[in-house]
Amino acid sequence: MILKVLSFGAIALLILLRLARTRFGTRLLGVSLRVLNIVYLVALVVAGVLAVLFEQWILLTVVVILLAVSLVEEIRRRSAQAPVRDGDRPRRG
C-alpha cells in the first residue's frame, strides 16, 4: 500500500517538474531553463530505475511516456533551430 502512495506521489512530482519547465517556472524558481531540464531528466531516470526495482509498472509507464514526449520536444526544437544550407534554400527567379 505504501509503495502505491509513493508511486502516485512520484507521478505528481514528475508532472509538476514538467509544468515547471516553462518561462514562468524559471522566473518563479529563479533557475535557468537548462537547469530545470537537467533536473527533470535526472528525476525521470531515477524514477524509472526505482520503478523497475520496486515493480511499480504504472510509474514506469508514466516515466516512459514523459521521456518520449521530452524526446519529441527536443527533436522538434533542434529541427527548428537547424540552419538552412545553401542547397536547401528555394531558388528565386
Side-chain angles (χ1 to χ4, degrees):
M1 178 66 183
I2 190 82
L3 282 177
K4 285 185 181 182
V5 172
L6 289 175
S7 189
F8 286 120
I11 291 170
L13 179 65
L14 289 172
I15 291 172
L16 283 175
L17 277 173
R18 171 142 176 76
L19 293 175
R21 293 175 39 210
T22 61
R23 289 183 185 165
F24 177 72
T26 58
R27 268 190 270 136
L28 182 67
L29 297 173
V31 186
S32 72
L33 185 60
R34 185 176 183 120
V35 170
L36 281 177
N37 285 334
I38 292 170
V39 168
Y40 177 67
L41 291 176
V42 168
L44 281 175
V45 170
V46 169
V49 169
L50 291 176
V52 170
L53 288 177
F54 293 114
E55 297 179 356
Q56 296 299 311
W57 308 122
I58 294 173
L59 176 60
L60 184 61
T61 303
V62 170
V63 166
V64 168
I65 290 170
L66 290 174
L67 274 172
V69 168
S70 295
L71 179 67
V72 169
E73 286 177 346
E74 187 65 22
I75 290 171
R76 285 185 180 173
R77 186 183 67 80
R78 287 187 185 218
S79 67
Q81 290 180 352
V84 177
R85 291 177 284 160
D86 287 336
D88 294 340
R89 290 188 181 141
R91 301 198 183 263
R92 294 184 188 172

